[in-house]
């Protein structure tokens, strides 16, 4: 009887130890077997994961679930009118959301919300068709609290033909490819794969996830679960170990525009890589270029005297990449004042603006909100074109504030 009890206890112990194995070993990532998936980060980096999970980076793309979709689907708030006979209606049907085109009251065409792009300022959506994605013609804009035309679409002619290619996903997701990868991603030639422009829906990794910025983590997870007392991060890229240019390049792979000669796929980029190995521009061409406020934050920042004169300033001087930009503008002023202590405003500025406002709101004057020429939209029954508005990253003294 005693032997049976001991044997039973051993079996229970073995079952318990087996259940504690690394769950990431069971995970298959479309990027390759050396990826662990962001959920594997939770057990050791819970605070960072939970913060990042709600960030614009993580939600740069997302599946079109009821929880993720912005915009109104109730009568009176869900219709875009093209003309007296033509309208587009946002509808929910059996837990799936659609944009439905009606002409003279009759349904002509309907496409589902499949992939969502964005969440902070606006949200556009795409539907899958024959291994390609196409942008739905109406998007939701928080500035309007309403639906309006998607970028590139007409306010008078309804169509569903604007294709969303891999380059859009390269900055709004962590992966999308033409076929599923089941081997180590180190051996995959992404450049050759992109000759095939069709996409497999099963290969998408939504949003900018942990491994997009820190590199493949399968070995990192295995080692630290096996040796929990290790204090120095192993087999992963820690940004504190990167030099200034490497840190900037890691952000610039998506925040430096899309007008340069493409050498390799953005998806192939790993933290620590040289941006010039992926994109090539004309030397000196960016010094006086007029960058749009949307998409080329590095180009604008690089034109700023603050950036040029600093040996240490990078994107993370002001931004926590795990969280959305702070809405507390005074927090940015503290960063500004760490270099600009004792700076005096001119008499005209001091006379019109209180000292407390000047001290706590540097960015409002020196990084003003600016209209984008790249993204414009029209509301229903409105002939006026509206511009997407974002805060510029070109730090300077602007004429209205002199």
């Amino acid at each position: 009887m005693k032997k049976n009890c001991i044997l039973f206890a051993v079996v229970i112990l073995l079952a318990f130890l087996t259940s504690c194995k690394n769950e990431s070993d069971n995970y298959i990532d479309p990027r390759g077997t050396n990826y662990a998936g962001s959920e594997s980060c939770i057990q050791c980096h819970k605070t960072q994961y939970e913060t990042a999970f709600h960030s614009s980076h993580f939600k740069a793309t997302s599946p079109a679930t009821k929880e993720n979709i912005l915009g109104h689907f109730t009568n009176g708030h869900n219709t875009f009118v093209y003309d007296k006979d033509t309208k587009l209606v946002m509808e929910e049907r059996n837990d799936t959301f659609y944009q439905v085109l009606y002409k003279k009251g009759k349904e002509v065409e309907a496409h589902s919300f499949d992939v969502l792009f964005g969440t902070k300022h606006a949200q556009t959506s795409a539907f899958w068709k024959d291994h390609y994605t196409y942008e739905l013609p109406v998007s939701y804009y928080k500035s309007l609290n309403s639906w309006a035309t998607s970028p590139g679409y007409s306010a008078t002619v309804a169509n569903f033909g604007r294709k969303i290619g891999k380059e859009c996903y390269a900055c709004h997701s962590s992966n999308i490819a033409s076929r599923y990868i089941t081997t180590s991603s180190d051996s995959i030639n992404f450049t050759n794969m992109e000759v095939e422009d069709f996409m497999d829906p099963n290969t998408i990794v939504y949003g900018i996830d942990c491994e997009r910025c820190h590199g493949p983590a399968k070995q990192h997870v295995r080692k630290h679960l096996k040796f929990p007392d290790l204090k120095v991060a192993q087999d992963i890229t820690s940004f504190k170990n990167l030099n200034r240019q490497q840190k900037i390049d890691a952000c610039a792979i998506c925040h430096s525009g899309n007008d340069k000669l493409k050498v390799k796929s953005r998806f192939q980029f790993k933290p620590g890589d040289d941006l010039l190995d992926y994109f090539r521009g004309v030397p000196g061409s960016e010094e006086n270029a007029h960058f749009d406020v949307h998409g080329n934050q590095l180009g604008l920042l690089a034109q700023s005297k603050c950036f040029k004169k600093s040996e240490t300033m990078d994107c993370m001087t002001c931004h926590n990449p795990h969280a959305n930009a702070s809405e507390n503008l005074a927090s940015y002023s503290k960063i500004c004042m760490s270099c600009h202590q004792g700076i005096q405003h001119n008499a005209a500025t001091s006379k019109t603006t209180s000292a407390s406002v000047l001290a706590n709101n540097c960015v409002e004057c020196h990084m003003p909100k600016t209209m984008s020429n790249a993204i414009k939209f029209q509301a229903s029954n409105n002939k006026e074109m509206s511009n997407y508005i974002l805060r510029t990253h070109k730090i300077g003294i602007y004429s209205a504030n002199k």
Side-chain angles (χ1 to χ4, degrees):
M1 182 70 179
K2 186 175 180 180
K3 288 183 178 179
N4 288 338
C5 290
I6 293 172
L7 180 61
F8 178 75
V10 170
V11 170
I12 294 297
L13 179 60
L14 287 172
F16 174 76
L17 292 174
T18 302
S19 68
C20 290
K21 69 180 181 179
N22 179 10
E23 289 299 323
S24 70
D25 286 339
N26 299 324
Y27 171 75
I28 301 176
D29 193 287
R31 291 170 288 190
T33 53
N34 51 353
Y35 282 84
S38 287
E39 290 191 0
S40 66
C41 305
I42 299 174
Q43 49 201 328
C44 296
H45 304 285
K46 185 177 180 180
T47 300
Q48 291 90 336
Y49 179 88
E50 289 181 347
T51 303
F53 181 79
H54 295 96
S55 71
S56 297
H57 274 144
F58 221 82
K59 302 291 185 181
T61 46
S62 57
T65 63
K66 192 169 188 174
E67 296 75 22
N68 291 336
I69 293 181
L70 303 178
H72 310 290
F73 287 80
T74 55
N75 289 336
H77 303 281
N78 63 334
T79 302
F80 186 93
V81 177
Y82 288 98
D83 57 49
K84 63 183 181 64
D85 296 323
T86 311
K87 64 181 181 179
L88 191 75
V89 183
M90 275 48 73
E91 299 182 5
E92 180 181 359
R93 300 177 177 178
N94 300 320
D95 297 324
T96 301
F97 297 85
Y98 294 86
Q99 290 192 5
V100 186
L101 182 65
Y102 291 92
K103 288 190 176 181
K104 295 184 178 181
K106 182 179 180 180
E107 180 179 327
V108 175
E109 196 170 354
H111 294 285
S112 59
F113 288 72
D114 292 333
V115 182
L116 306 176
F117 288 78
T119 185
K120 186 178 181 181
H121 300 291
Q123 186 178 81
T124 195
S125 310
F127 65 93
W128 282 100
K129 181 181 178 182
D130 299 329
H131 288 280
Y132 295 96
T133 56
Y134 296 84
E135 187 175 23
L136 290 169
V138 169
S139 298
Y140 179 78
Y141 296 87
K142 285 188 174 181
S143 61
L144 299 177
N145 189 27
S146 183
W147 300 98
T149 54
S150 298
Y153 272 112
S154 167
T156 57
V157 179
N159 76 85
F160 294 83
R162 191 167 188 258
K163 187 183 290 186
I164 297 179
K166 286 183 183 177
E167 271 301 291
C168 296
Y169 286 95
C171 286
H172 284 272
S173 75
S174 292
N175 186 75
I176 199 164
S178 302
R179 56 174 63 89
Y180 209 89
I181 301 169
T182 56
T183 58
S184 170
S185 61
D186 290 338
S187 64
I188 299 298
N189 188 330
F190 286 82
T191 306
N192 289 341
M193 289 181 65
E194 290 211 343
V195 172
E196 302 170 329
D197 64 343
F198 64 89
M199 297 174 287
D200 181 349
N202 297 314
T203 66
I204 188 170
V205 177
Y206 289 104
I208 305 303
D209 74 346
C210 306
E211 290 172 289
R212 183 73 196 269
C213 293
H214 292 282
K218 180 66 71 71
Q219 292 303 319
H220 169 76
V221 173
R222 284 176 176 169
K223 184 167 290 186
H224 283 272
L225 288 179
K226 186 176 182 179
F227 304 104
D229 293 331
L230 282 173
K231 301 300 181 185
V232 179
Q234 305 288 316
D235 301 307
I236 200 75
T237 299
S238 175
F239 270 65
K240 66 182 180 182
N241 295 326
L242 299 180
N243 62 41
R244 182 199 187 198
Q245 190 58 52
Q246 288 173 326
K247 292 176 183 177
I248 291 170
D249 284 358
C251 299
I253 191 67
C254 288
H255 290 280
S256 63
N258 195 31
D259 58 346
K260 302 178 183 68
L261 174 65
K262 179 181 172 183
V263 180
K264 291 193 288 187
S265 168
R266 283 182 170 97
F267 284 128
Q268 195 174 357
F269 184 91
K270 301 293 188 299
D273 286 356
D274 189 336
L275 185 67
L276 292 177
D277 290 336
Y278 293 81
F279 292 95
R280 301 283 172 83
V282 178
S285 63
E286 299 188 353
E287 182 66 26
N288 297 307
H290 295 284
F291 297 116
D292 192 83
V293 70
H294 176 267
N296 199 337
Q297 289 82 1
L298 178 63
L300 292 164
L301 181 64
Q303 293 177 339
S304 310
K305 287 185 179 180
C306 291
F307 183 81
K308 291 176 180 178
K309 291 184 177 182
S310 174
E311 295 181 357
T312 59
M313 186 179 187
D314 58 45
C315 306
M316 286 177 284
T317 300
C318 298
H319 294 292
N320 174 3
H322 294 129
N324 286 335
S326 174
E327 295 183 2
N328 178 13
L329 300 184
S331 65
Y332 299 108
S333 295
K334 290 180 180 179
I335 299 169
C336 298
M337 296 305 290
S338 65
C339 291
H340 294 284
Q341 292 178 3
I343 294 295
Q344 298 294 318
H345 290 90
N346 62 37
T349 301
S350 300
K351 186 176 181 179
T352 57
T353 311
S354 69
S356 61
V357 171
L358 290 174
N360 293 314
N361 200 353
C362 301
V363 298
E364 201 64 51
C365 291
H366 299 289
M367 298 178 67
K369 290 183 177 179
T370 306
M371 292 190 302
S372 168
N373 290 316
I375 298 182
K376 299 180 180 181
F377 53 90
Q378 285 177 264
S380 178
N381 286 320
N382 192 332
K383 294 183 179 180
E384 291 187 10
M385 188 74 71
S386 297
N387 294 73
Y388 204 55
I389 296 176
L390 294 170
R391 193 173 297 284
T392 183
H393 276 67
K394 186 175 182 178
I395 308 166
I397 299 174
Y398 290 84
S399 57
N401 306 311
K402 289 181 179 179

PDB file of all heavy atoms in Angstrom, residues 111-122:
ATOM      1  N   HIS A 111     -19.633  44.488 -48.317  1.00  0.00           N
ATOM      2  CA  HIS A 111     -18.332  43.913 -47.971  1.00  0.00           C
ATOM      3  C   HIS A 111     -18.114  44.036 -46.467  1.00  0.00           C
ATOM      4  O   HIS A 111     -18.458  45.052 -45.851  1.00  0.00           O
ATOM      5  CB  HIS A 111     -17.209  44.607 -48.732  1.00  0.00           C
ATOM      6  CG  HIS A 111     -17.268  44.377 -50.208  1.00  0.00           C
ATOM      7  ND1 HIS A 111     -16.900  43.188 -50.793  1.00  0.00           N
ATOM      8  CD2 HIS A 111     -17.682  45.183 -51.220  1.00  0.00           C
ATOM      9  CE1 HIS A 111     -17.065  43.263 -52.102  1.00  0.00           C
ATOM     10  NE2 HIS A 111     -17.533  44.475 -52.383  1.00  0.00           N
ATOM     11  N   SER A 112     -17.505  43.022 -45.897  1.00  0.00           N
ATOM     12  CA  SER A 112     -17.341  42.967 -44.448  1.00  0.00           C
ATOM     13  C   SER A 112     -16.106  43.727 -43.974  1.00  0.00           C
ATOM     14  O   SER A 112     -15.134  43.891 -44.713  1.00  0.00           O
ATOM     15  CB  SER A 112     -17.229  41.512 -43.994  1.00  0.00           C
ATOM     16  OG  SER A 112     -16.131  40.874 -44.629  1.00  0.00           O
ATOM     17  N   PHE A 113     -16.162  44.191 -42.746  1.00  0.00           N
ATOM     18  CA  PHE A 113     -14.983  44.703 -42.053  1.00  0.00           C
ATOM     19  C   PHE A 113     -14.151  43.484 -41.670  1.00  0.00           C
ATOM     20  O   PHE A 113     -14.589  42.651 -40.870  1.00  0.00           O
ATOM     21  CB  PHE A 113     -15.390  45.443 -40.773  1.00  0.00           C
ATOM     22  CG  PHE A 113     -16.046  46.772 -40.963  1.00  0.00           C
ATOM     23  CD1 PHE A 113     -17.344  46.872 -41.439  1.00  0.00           C
ATOM     24  CD2 PHE A 113     -15.370  47.945 -40.630  1.00  0.00           C
ATOM     25  CE1 PHE A 113     -17.966  48.099 -41.591  1.00  0.00           C
ATOM     26  CE2 PHE A 113     -15.979  49.190 -40.784  1.00  0.00           C
ATOM     27  CZ  PHE A 113     -17.278  49.271 -41.263  1.00  0.00           C
ATOM     28  N   ASP A 114     -12.956  43.341 -42.242  1.00  0.00           N
ATOM     29  CA  ASP A 114     -12.096  42.198 -41.931  1.00  0.00           C
ATOM     30  C   ASP A 114     -10.836  42.595 -41.167  1.00  0.00           C
ATOM     31  O   ASP A 114     -10.454  41.942 -40.198  1.00  0.00           O
ATOM     32  CB  ASP A 114     -11.702  41.464 -43.221  1.00  0.00           C
ATOM     33  CG  ASP A 114     -12.886  40.785 -43.880  1.00  0.00           C
ATOM     34  OD1 ASP A 114     -13.843  40.422 -43.158  1.00  0.00           O
ATOM     35  OD2 ASP A 114     -12.878  40.637 -45.115  1.00  0.00           O
ATOM     36  N   VAL A 115     -10.179  43.655 -41.611  1.00  0.00           N
ATOM     37  CA  VAL A 115      -8.952  44.137 -40.968  1.00  0.00           C
ATOM     38  C   VAL A 115      -9.133  45.614 -40.642  1.00  0.00           C
ATOM     39  O   VAL A 115      -9.555  46.397 -41.495  1.00  0.00           O
ATOM     40  CB  VAL A 115      -7.721  43.963 -41.884  1.00  0.00           C
ATOM     41  CG1 VAL A 115      -6.454  44.430 -41.163  1.00  0.00           C
ATOM     42  CG2 VAL A 115      -7.577  42.516 -42.326  1.00  0.00           C
ATOM     43  N   LEU A 116      -8.800  45.989 -39.411  1.00  0.00           N
ATOM     44  CA  LEU A 116      -8.898  47.383 -38.977  1.00  0.00           C
ATOM     45  C   LEU A 116      -7.518  48.016 -38.937  1.00  0.00           C
ATOM     46  O   LEU A 116      -6.551  47.386 -38.481  1.00  0.00           O
ATOM     47  CB  LEU A 116      -9.523  47.467 -37.588  1.00  0.00           C
ATOM     48  CG  LEU A 116     -10.872  46.776 -37.388  1.00  0.00           C
ATOM     49  CD1 LEU A 116     -11.304  46.883 -35.925  1.00  0.00           C
ATOM     50  CD2 LEU A 116     -11.931  47.371 -38.305  1.00  0.00           C
ATOM     51  N   PHE A 117      -7.421  49.260 -39.411  1.00  0.00           N
ATOM     52  CA  PHE A 117      -6.178  50.021 -39.367  1.00  0.00           C
ATOM     53  C   PHE A 117      -6.391  51.249 -38.482  1.00  0.00           C
ATOM     54  O   PHE A 117      -7.220  52.099 -38.776  1.00  0.00           O
ATOM     55  CB  PHE A 117      -5.769  50.495 -40.765  1.00  0.00           C
ATOM     56  CG  PHE A 117      -5.257  49.417 -41.672  1.00  0.00           C
ATOM     57  CD1 PHE A 117      -6.133  48.544 -42.302  1.00  0.00           C
ATOM     58  CD2 PHE A 117      -3.888  49.271 -41.902  1.00  0.00           C
ATOM     59  CE1 PHE A 117      -5.671  47.554 -43.145  1.00  0.00           C
ATOM     60  CE2 PHE A 117      -3.415  48.272 -42.747  1.00  0.00           C
ATOM     61  CZ  PHE A 117      -4.300  47.414 -43.369  1.00  0.00           C
ATOM     62  N   GLY A 118      -5.621  51.338 -37.389  1.00  0.00           N
ATOM     63  CA  GLY A 118      -5.659  52.527 -36.547  1.00  0.00           C
ATOM     64  C   GLY A 118      -6.707  52.466 -35.456  1.00  0.00           C
ATOM     65  O   GLY A 118      -7.662  51.688 -35.513  1.00  0.00           O
ATOM     66  N   THR A 119      -6.512  53.345 -34.448  1.00  0.00           N
ATOM     67  CA  THR A 119      -7.473  53.421 -33.353  1.00  0.00           C
ATOM     68  C   THR A 119      -7.421  54.752 -32.620  1.00  0.00           C
ATOM     69  O   THR A 119      -8.404  55.155 -32.007  1.00  0.00           O
ATOM     70  CB  THR A 119      -7.226  52.278 -32.338  1.00  0.00           C
ATOM     71  OG1 THR A 119      -8.240  52.286 -31.343  1.00  0.00           O
ATOM     72  CG2 THR A 119      -5.873  52.453 -31.645  1.00  0.00           C
ATOM     73  N   LYS A 120      -6.311  55.485 -32.710  1.00  0.00           N
ATOM     74  CA  LYS A 120      -6.142  56.677 -31.887  1.00  0.00           C
ATOM     75  C   LYS A 120      -6.879  57.889 -32.450  1.00  0.00           C
ATOM     76  O   LYS A 120      -7.677  58.527 -31.753  1.00  0.00           O
ATOM     77  CB  LYS A 120      -4.660  57.008 -31.730  1.00  0.00           C
ATOM     78  CG  LYS A 120      -4.396  58.156 -30.766  1.00  0.00           C
ATOM     79  CD  LYS A 120      -2.910  58.414 -30.592  1.00  0.00           C
ATOM     80  CE  LYS A 120      -2.678  59.550 -29.603  1.00  0.00           C
ATOM     81  NZ  LYS A 120      -1.235  59.842 -29.425  1.00  0.00           N
ATOM     82  N   HIS A 121      -6.629  58.238 -33.695  1.00  0.00           N
ATOM     83  CA  HIS A 121      -7.241  59.418 -34.317  1.00  0.00           C
ATOM     84  C   HIS A 121      -8.364  59.050 -35.280  1.00  0.00           C
ATOM     85  O   HIS A 121      -9.332  59.790 -35.440  1.00  0.00           O
ATOM     86  CB  HIS A 121      -6.189  60.226 -35.074  1.00  0.00           C
ATOM     87  CG  HIS A 121      -5.072  60.714 -34.208  1.00  0.00           C
ATOM     88  ND1 HIS A 121      -5.243  61.685 -33.258  1.00  0.00           N
ATOM     89  CD2 HIS A 121      -3.760  60.353 -34.151  1.00  0.00           C
ATOM     90  CE1 HIS A 121      -4.083  61.918 -32.654  1.00  0.00           C
ATOM     91  NE2 HIS A 121      -3.184  61.119 -33.179  1.00  0.00           N
ATOM     92  N   ALA A 122      -8.192  57.924 -35.949  1.00  0.00           N
ATOM     93  CA  ALA A 122      -9.161  57.503 -36.959  1.00  0.00           C
ATOM     94  C   ALA A 122      -8.998  56.007 -37.184  1.00  0.00           C
ATOM     95  O   ALA A 122      -8.048  55.387 -36.690  1.00  0.00           O
ATOM     96  CB  ALA A 122      -8.938  58.263 -38.261  1.00  0.00           C
TER      97      ALA A 122
END
